């Protein structure tokens, strides 16, 4: 596991469900086949309504010039991230898109159990603060895993994260 995770933030709100993370029609791909694994990255977050993607402004696409890998490294969500059906493909899709960490107020229990399937490449952090109201899509974040903190390099703010586990 990396001790520092840095990259641009993609901000979402509350109740992002697994159908928004990877819609059901894309579950036919096999993540153990490299060409099909890429497709999970391509369709990651494709179910999020446009107005709710890339907060606070919204209408910011998750992908830009590369249709498989997002320019964002860290997802910042609100309450109940990953609610809905138990879908192990949800964290796989985020990891395939290049996401290394998700920071949310709390997760749906079904999604937390699925994070282990990504092989440790995608780390779920919880925060006692509502960071989706303080961080903007595109802000540069630096998560110190050992220290348990999230620093916004764009605004010079820093927040404590709950300990892993």
């Amino acid at each position: 596991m990396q001790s520092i995770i840095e990259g641009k933030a993609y901000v979402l709100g509350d109740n992002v469900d697994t159908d928004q993370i990877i819609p059901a029609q894309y579950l036919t791909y096999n993540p153990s086949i490299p060409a099909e694994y890429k497709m999970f990255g391509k369709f990651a977050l494709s179910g999020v309504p446009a107005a709710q993607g890339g907060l606070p402004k919204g209408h910011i696409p998750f992908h830009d010039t590369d249709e498989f890998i997002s320019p964002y490294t860290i997802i910042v969500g609100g309450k109940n991230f990953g609610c809905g059906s138990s879908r192990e493909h949800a964290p796989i899709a985020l990891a395939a898109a290049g996401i290394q960490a998700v920071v949310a107020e709390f997760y749906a229990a079904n999604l937390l159990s699925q994070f282990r399937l990504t092989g440790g490449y995608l780390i779920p952090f919880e925060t006692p603060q509502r960071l989706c109201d303080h961080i903007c899509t595109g802000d540069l974040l630096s998560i110190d895993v050992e220290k348990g903190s999230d620093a916004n390099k764009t605004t010079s703010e820093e927040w404590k994260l709950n300990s892993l586990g």
Side-chain angles (χ1 to χ4, degrees), residues 21-115:
I21 296 170
I22 185 72
Q25 67 261 36
Y26 305 117
L27 299 181
T28 59
Y29 295 111
N30 183 341
S32 66
I33 300 170
E36 292 189 20
Y37 177 82
K38 287 176 57 173
M39 299 306 284
F40 284 101
K42 179 177 182 173
F43 296 111
L45 298 183
S46 63
V48 173
Q52 297 170 16
L55 298 176
K57 294 178 185 176
H59 298 279
I60 297 175
F62 183 59
H63 291 87
D64 58 11
T65 57
D66 187 326
E67 66 179 327
F68 299 103
I69 302 292
S70 174
Y72 304 99
T73 307
I74 300 167
I75 298 275
V76 177
K79 299 174 183 174
N80 206 25
F81 190 87
C83 58
S85 60
S86 182
R87 185 170 292 174
E88 67 270 9
H89 298 84
I92 291 170
L94 294 176
I99 297 300
Q100 295 177 22
V102 177
V103 178
E105 285 179 78
F106 64 86
Y107 296 86
N110 64 317
L111 186 66
L112 270 182
S113 68
Q114 302 304 326
F115 271 106

